[in-house]
Amino acid sequence: MNQNDLLNSTCATIHEARKEMAERLEARPANYSLDQPLYNDPQMFRIDVEEVFQKEWLFVGMTSEIPVRGDYFTVEVAQNPVLVVRDADGSVNAFHNTCRHRGSRICSEHRGKVANLVCPYHQWTYDLKGNLLFAGTEMGDSFETQEHGLKKAFCKTAGGFIFVCLGKEEPEGDFDEFLSTLEEYMEPYDVENTKLAVESSMYEKANWKLVLENNRECYHCSANHPELLNSLLEWDDTNDPRASQEFKDHCKDQAAAWDAEGIPHEHQSFGPGLRNRIVRMPLKKGTQAMTMDGKAGCNKLLGRIKNPQMGSMRILHLPNSWNHMQSDHFIVFRVLPISAQESIVTTKWFVHKDAVEGVDYDPVQLRKVWDATNEQDRVLGEENQRGINSVGYQPGPYSETFEFGIVNFMEWYSDTVQKNLKAK
């Protein structure tokens, strides 16, 4: 087989895979798990990357990670390296982290600070807006500097959250409406005056959708997450049929406390499958934060918050993030795909920027609950993946009572992939 034949064969394979993906999603029962190939097949994974992670808004980090000019961090989205940097005017820019000369990564460190962006290979130099400043005289008189700036990724911020999109066009939808609400609901925390206290990244041998499915239900919590359930209430809505009167009364009392401090707390959701969701809920009575003993993890409260018992504001953004905002610290989670059966889960803990490590907070104590929970979920996800790989696997039904969050996620995922496939 010559090179042209190989290329034609590859294109035919990809075309057939897209057709198969569309047919499987079109035929799937709404309340059942997916067909096996959508969890473990490399071709199906490639479509996920191209139609979800290269076209939709992704959460990448927080603005307080890059507080001043020249601060940057990097992230890799399924072999697409991305660079996020704070510009001189205070804006946050996102670029494809690949030099316009021969493609080398410009910034190889996870995070850092620069005056300009300099490719280590041949020293091509860009400013913080991505404009090429220097390529050397070796490029010749006909070389057009202005035509070789860094390629930008779409970037939006709200309430301290940074989202990027790697697509050629911005996705359609109500994302700006979500960002406006996110800005309002995050105002009490004053994210610009927080700092990253500690960070972890966990490699998981499971498809990214299994990681999200696990997060979208607490059906498994009582049997697997004793540390988390020291403080977290399993339900996030007083209309939940499982909710007791005691729980409803607790929520009512907590709402009065939120109102007293002018803290917004009406539940908000946006998009098909409740893609973006903001839910403020109390923690268990007598607890202040998601720590091992339920006490505050940091002595300094965030922003304008005065009451250490303000519960947790949970923020969901599909396809790759869930988050918990508390009075004294907040935690953000980011999931990114590596391969059909591999994912990376990054967790970051933030505290007030003036909090002193070892005095106001202990990073080890701060992270214990979610370190334990993440590890427990890793084991569950990997066992889930192993079972799905079996010839005996067939899609099973979700519990509408306990797993409605997964049903919503699968609705969003299916609709999004089918919409983007049709747009080809």
Side-chain angles (χ1 to χ4, degrees):
M1 181 180 289
N2 62 36
Q3 189 172 13
N4 287 336
D5 290 339
L6 180 61
L7 178 61
N8 290 334
S9 175
T10 301
C11 290
T13 301
I14 296 169
H15 175 77
E16 289 302 314
R18 291 181 179 279
K19 181 180 177 182
E20 178 185 345
M21 171 74 92
E23 290 173 349
R24 287 183 182 275
L25 291 177
E26 179 69 28
R28 77 174 189 94
N31 63 333
Y32 273 67
S33 58
L34 299 173
D35 291 344
Q36 185 184 63
L38 276 66
Y39 290 118
N40 67 4
D41 181 79
Q43 291 284 17
M44 298 293 107
F45 172 75
R46 174 174 174 171
I47 297 170
D48 275 0
V49 171
E50 292 178 349
E51 305 305 333
V52 177
F53 287 90
Q54 291 179 6
K55 288 186 177 178
E56 299 298 320
W57 288 108
L58 308 175
F59 168 69
V60 291
M62 303 299 290
T63 56
S64 59
E65 295 181 61
I66 47 174
V68 299
R69 179 190 189 276
D71 286 345
Y72 74 86
F73 66 82
T74 59
V75 62
E76 187 156 315
V77 183
Q79 297 188 336
N80 291 285
V82 178
L83 166 66
V84 181
V85 62
R86 178 82 71 163
D87 194 2
D89 63 9
S91 60
V92 175
N93 299 324
F95 303 101
H96 293 273
N97 188 12
T98 174
C99 184
R100 292 297 308 281
H101 178 211
R102 285 167 52 193
S104 176
R105 281 196 308 167
I106 296 170
C107 294
S108 57
E109 297 297 323
H110 176 43
R111 60 178 74 252
K113 182 177 180 61
V114 293
N116 289 305
L117 300 165
V118 182
C119 178
Y121 203 168
H122 300 95
Q123 286 69 57
W124 279 35
T125 303
Y126 307 83
D127 66 19
L128 302 180
K129 292 187 180 297
N131 301 306
L132 180 61
L133 301 177
F134 172 79
T137 58
E138 294 83 356
M139 299 308 298
D141 295 338
S142 62
F143 179 74
E144 297 291 345
T145 301
Q146 65 272 19
E147 294 181 4
H148 291 82
L150 293 179
K151 289 191 174 182
K152 288 187 175 183
F154 293 108
C155 182
K156 292 187 176 185
T157 64
F161 285 75
I162 305 172
F163 302 91
V164 302
C165 174
L166 306 183
K168 295 179 180 179
E169 300 176 350
E170 285 193 31
E172 296 180 355
D174 55 4
F175 193 63
D176 286 342
E177 184 182 354
F178 163 65
L179 295 184
S180 177
T181 303
L182 182 61
E183 185 78 31
E184 175 191 357
Y185 274 57
M186 285 298 298
E187 177 272 329
Y189 300 94
D190 189 15
V191 171
E192 291 300 325
N193 284 305
T194 66
K195 67 179 179 181
L196 179 63
V198 63
E199 173 181 5
S200 73
S201 285
M202 181 183 71
Y203 169 74
E204 185 168 338
K205 294 180 181 179
N207 184 274
W208 69 274
K209 294 188 290 295
L210 294 180
V211 178
L212 265 292
E213 286 191 50
N214 175 270
N215 172 260
R216 298 319 307 138
E217 51 92 355
C218 215
Y219 191 7
H220 70 281
C221 289
S222 60
N224 294 280
H225 295 323
E227 297 85 357
L228 181 62
L229 293 185
N230 283 335
S231 57
L232 181 73
L233 292 167
E234 295 182 50
W235 314 293
D236 63 4
D237 197 324
T238 54
N239 293 323
D240 192 310
R242 300 167 296 162
S244 66
Q245 188 58 48
E246 182 182 7
F247 169 75
K248 294 177 181 179
D249 292 342
H250 182 35
C251 290
K252 185 177 180 180
D253 293 341
Q254 187 71 76
W258 294 327
D259 287 335
E261 292 200 21
I263 306 293
H265 59 85
E266 293 296 326
H267 291 196
Q268 303 286 344
S269 59
F270 305 84
L274 306 182
R275 177 192 186 175
N276 295 300
R277 195 162 179 251
I278 305 174
V279 176
R280 191 183 295 279
M281 292 298 295
L283 295 171
K284 282 188 174 179
K285 281 187 177 181
T287 63
Q288 299 178 351
M290 294 179 185
T291 55
M292 294 296 284
D293 59 7
K295 296 179 181 178
C298 182
N299 293 332
K300 291 187 179 297
L301 299 184
L302 299 174
R304 63 176 177 84
I305 295 173
K306 305 299 182 185
N307 184 349
Q309 293 184 323
M310 295 299 278
S312 166
M313 185 170 75
R314 311 174 191 181
I315 302 170
L316 169 69
H317 171 69
L318 299 177
N320 77 319
S321 181
W322 62 89
N323 313 276
H324 287 276
M325 309 294 145
Q326 302 159 92
S327 299
D328 65 305
H329 72 280
F330 64 83
I331 314 157
V332 299
F333 301 83
R334 184 186 69 206
V335 179
L336 291 171
I338 298 174
S339 74
Q341 299 184 45
E342 300 171 294
S343 304
I344 190 84
V345 180
T346 299
T347 308
K348 300 176 184 179
W349 291 258
F350 290 79
V351 297
H352 193 286
K353 72 173 184 179
D354 295 332
V356 178
E357 182 177 335
V359 177
D360 295 305
Y361 69 97
D362 178 355
V364 174
Q365 297 301 319
L366 199 66
R367 61 186 288 175
K368 272 188 175 181
V369 166
W370 279 105
D371 276 353
T373 303
N374 285 342
E375 176 61 19
Q376 291 152 1
D377 281 336
R378 181 192 64 79
V379 173
L380 293 171
E382 292 184 352
E383 289 302 318
N384 198 178
Q385 183 71 66
R386 291 188 182 100
I388 284 174
N389 290 343
S390 166
V391 294
Y393 167 77
Q394 69 180 60
Y398 296 122
S399 164
E400 294 184 7
T401 303
F402 285 87
E403 296 174 311
F404 57 87
I406 305 180
V407 175
N408 292 336
F409 166 48
M410 285 303 171
E411 176 191 350
W412 175 83
Y413 166 74
S414 179
D415 288 352
T416 298
V417 173
Q418 290 184 82
K419 173 196 69 177
N420 289 344
L421 284 171
K422 290 175 182 176
K424 281 287 182 182

